[in-house]
């Protein structure tokens, strides 16, 4: 992991049964985890580690914002993130990762949570992300309006008329069949 060592959670060397850790997640973090969905952001992560008889419980909380491309105009947009998750870490013979449970070898004293933090952020991003009405890049919105010729769109009446003229007349004949 090398550069991601600062996201290691020491388990064996815990001085008390509960420990709180804080992490700042910025553009460097996303570069280090080789993120595909998010490349920029500024978030604060908090990990509360509690020691139990045979396991450790890690409560994760992430707050902040990321920059993602708008699906409509492709300009960057700021998206708020607020996510939480819970991990259970146990010792075993070999490394395993399952649904909320991580098994690490007996020889390890720490678990790295960098990828878990990234997954929390990526899963909190909605499938569709677009600017609020009127905030899209105007030059890209204009290009989109020029090529948008579908019914039910938010194109003005004047543009709708020009779209009707540019539609292949064969489609109109097919629409007649569809309407029957």
């Amino acid at each position: 992991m090398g550069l991601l060592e600062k996201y290691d959670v020491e388990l064996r060397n815990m001085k008390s049964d509960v420990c709180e850790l804080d992490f700042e997640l910025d553009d460097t973090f996303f570069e280090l985890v080789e993120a595909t969905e998010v490349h920029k952001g500024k978030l604060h992560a908090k990990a509360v580690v509690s020691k139990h008889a045979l396991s450790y419980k890690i409560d994760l909380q992430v707050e902040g914002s990321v920059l993602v491309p708008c699906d409509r105009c492709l300009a960057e947009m700021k998206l708020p993130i607020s996510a939480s998750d819970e991990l259970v870490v146990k010792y075993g013979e070999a490394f395993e990762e399952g649904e909320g449970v991580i098994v690490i070898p007996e020889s390890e004293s720490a678990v790295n949570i960098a990828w878990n933090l990234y997954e929390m952020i990526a899963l909190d991003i909605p499938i569709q992300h677009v600017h609020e009405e009127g905030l899209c890049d105007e030059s890209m919105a204009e290009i989109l309006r020029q090529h948008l010729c579908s019914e039910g769109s938010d194109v003005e009446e004047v543009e709708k008329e020009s779209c009707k003229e540019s539609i292949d007349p064969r489609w109109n004949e097919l629409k007649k069949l569809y309407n029957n």
Side-chain angles (χ1 to χ4, degrees):
M1 288 262 170
L3 297 172
L4 292 173
E5 285 178 355
K6 63 181 164 184
Y7 304 103
D8 282 353
V9 175
E10 287 292 330
L11 300 174
R12 286 223 171 109
N13 301 329
M14 284 180 56
K15 297 191 182 349
S16 64
D17 288 344
V18 177
C19 175
E20 287 188 21
L21 303 167
D22 291 305
F23 303 99
E24 294 301 322
L25 311 177
D26 55 12
D27 300 350
T28 306
F29 168 77
F30 295 111
E31 287 175 25
L32 290 174
V33 295
E34 298 175 359
T36 56
E37 299 294 319
V38 182
H39 301 286
K40 295 180 182 178
K42 186 166 177 65
L43 302 110
H44 177 78
K46 183 177 185 177
V48 178
V49 185
S50 54
K51 186 177 183 178
H52 298 278
L54 298 173
S55 64
Y56 297 87
K57 183 176 127 187
I58 304 174
D59 290 312
L60 299 171
Q61 180 71 33
V62 177
E63 298 282 335
S65 62
V66 294
L67 294 176
V68 294
C70 173
D71 290 339
R72 189 178 305 140
C73 71
L74 302 178
E76 284 188 342
M77 62 178 284
K78 193 173 187 179
L79 198 62
I81 298 292
S82 178
S84 60
D85 197 11
E86 178 182 293
L87 297 173
V88 175
V89 181
K90 298 179 180 183
Y91 281 103
E93 291 183 25
F95 182 83
E96 286 182 51
E97 192 168 1
E99 189 73 27
V101 178
I102 299 173
V103 178
I104 60 174
E106 294 282 343
S107 60
E108 297 288 324
S109 64
V111 63
N112 188 286
I113 60 169
W115 187 252
N116 301 90
L117 292 170
Y118 172 71
E119 282 182 337
M120 285 175 50
I121 295 165
L123 290 173
D124 199 53
I125 296 173
I127 292 173
Q128 183 180 30
H129 29 86
V130 294
H131 284 109
E132 291 182 25
E133 194 66 36
L135 296 179
C136 275
D137 178 16
E138 192 53 44
S139 62
M140 185 62 83
E142 180 60 35
I143 293 169
L144 182 62
R145 276 197 282 297
Q146 290 174 1
H147 296 286
L148 188 63
C149 293
S150 62
E151 291 185 32
S153 64
D154 61 351
V155 181
E156 295 178 18
E157 288 301 317
V158 175
E159 292 172 329
K160 282 185 182 179
E161 289 303 317
S162 66
C163 286
K164 286 181 183 176
E165 293 171 9
S166 66
I167 293 176
D168 188 336
R170 292 175 287 188
W171 287 113
N172 291 330
E173 294 301 317
L174 287 172
K175 283 183 184 177
K176 290 178 188 176
L177 292 172
Y178 178 75
N179 292 332
N180 286 335

